[in-house]
Amino acid sequence: MSLNIIFAATITIVILSTLSPTNAQIAAAPSLSPSAAPAPAPGPPFVNLANLLSVAGPFNTFLNYITQTKVIQTFQNQANDTQQGLTLFVPKDSAFSSLNQSTLSNLTSDQLKSLLLFHAFPKYYSLSDFKTLTATPINTFAGGSYPLNLTDTAGMIKVHSDWTSPNISSSVYSTFPVAVYELDQVLLPQSIFSTTPLVALAPAPAPDISPASDLAPSLSGLSPKSSDSVNNESSASAICIDLLNYFAFAVAGGFMLML
């Protein structure tokens, strides 16, 4: 009898222990799986400057210069491997052709590189950013000796170098990290050009060859007469003389008969 009581008490204790609040809470707690890490934010788009300049406008001359001097690699690295981005001022082909040929051909390789780097800021600037940058000079990629000044006149942004001050004629591309703006003139710093660079001579205007006026006297009437026309006139004169002689003889004969 005592064994039965002990066995029943043991069973009761086991059952009660499994139903304790602590065990019930542990059993009820859901299993927590590790949460997925948030996806990283997408980086800025890669911009191929060579492709952009080759299709965006008449920029073949500038593209050839920065490719030959390998300055395009400096610009490309700044655009896609830094957090600051790049602002590029690109003169049109006509801007280079307006310069005298010796203006650029007489430069050393270092001067030419500095001139090309002078056309870029090592930071991305939108057109609206330029309005806040008109107070002080801005250093270009060429360094502290090659700053540019910007002015804003009624929304027209002008880029001032020492010898030229072109307007930004077009925003070619402006999405971070790259901004490209079109210029009608090449930026010419005094650090490279101590005197005013020569410009190409404009071709002489073609002579104005207009058709002769209807009121102008014709020269055909003043041309010498041909031999045929002279012969015809001589024959007509001889016939007239013969007729006059015949008429004179007729009149004389009439008078003779009357006498």
Side-chain angles (χ1 to χ4, degrees), residues 226-246:
S226 64
S227 59
D228 291 340
S229 62
V230 172
N231 292 335
N232 291 336
E233 291 180 359
S234 299
S235 299
S237 298
I239 293 173
C240 290
I241 293 173
D242 291 341
L243 289 176
L244 289 175
N245 290 335
Y246 178 78

Side-chain angles (χ1 to χ4, degrees), residues 52-246:
L52 175 61
L53 295 178
S54 64
V55 301
F59 306 133
N60 293 324
T61 305
F62 185 79
L63 178 58
N64 289 338
Y65 275 127
I66 63 176
T67 301
Q68 293 170 5
T69 58
K70 302 186 185 306
V71 170
I72 191 172
Q73 297 178 4
T74 301
F75 290 160
Q76 192 70 67
N77 292 337
Q78 178 68 23
N80 296 114
D81 296 339
T82 69
Q83 299 297 318
Q84 288 76 32
L86 173 74
T87 299
L88 195 59
F89 300 106
V90 186
K92 298 190 299 184
D93 291 340
S94 58
F96 285 96
S97 61
S98 66
L99 294 174
N100 188 281
Q101 187 175 4
S102 63
T103 301
L104 300 183
S105 62
N106 289 340
L107 298 180
T108 65
S109 59
D110 289 339
Q111 287 176 327
L112 181 58
K113 287 182 180 180
S114 296
L115 177 65
L116 299 172
L117 292 170
F118 184 58
H119 286 74
F121 291 146
K123 186 177 180 179
Y124 170 83
Y125 291 111
S126 65
L127 279 176
S128 59
D129 292 333
F130 287 151
K131 297 179 180 180
T132 63
L133 300 174
T134 58
T136 58
I138 306 173
N139 289 336
T140 64
F141 236 119
S145 300
Y146 299 87
L148 286 172
N149 290 281
L150 302 175
T151 57
D152 177 15
T153 304
M156 181 65 69
I157 305 299
K158 187 182 290 290
V159 185
H160 298 271
S161 64
D162 296 305
W163 298 116
T164 55
S165 298
N167 292 324
I168 293 179
S169 55
S170 175
S171 175
V172 178
Y173 184 89
S174 184
T175 300
F176 185 83
V178 174
V180 177
Y181 302 106
E182 179 185 280
L183 300 180
D184 292 328
Q185 291 179 293
V186 179
L187 299 174
L188 302 172
Q190 193 171 10
S191 300
I192 296 177
F193 304 97
S194 58
T195 59
T196 306
L198 297 176
V199 296
L201 296 177
D208 184 14
I209 303 176
S210 57
S213 172
D214 294 339
L215 299 178
S218 173
L219 298 179
S220 60
L222 302 178
S223 60
K225 297 179 180 179
S226 64
S227 59
D228 291 340
S229 62
V230 172
N231 292 335
N232 291 336
E233 291 180 359
S234 299
S235 299
S237 298
I239 293 173
C240 290
I241 293 173
D242 291 341
L243 289 176
L244 289 175
N245 290 335
Y246 178 78

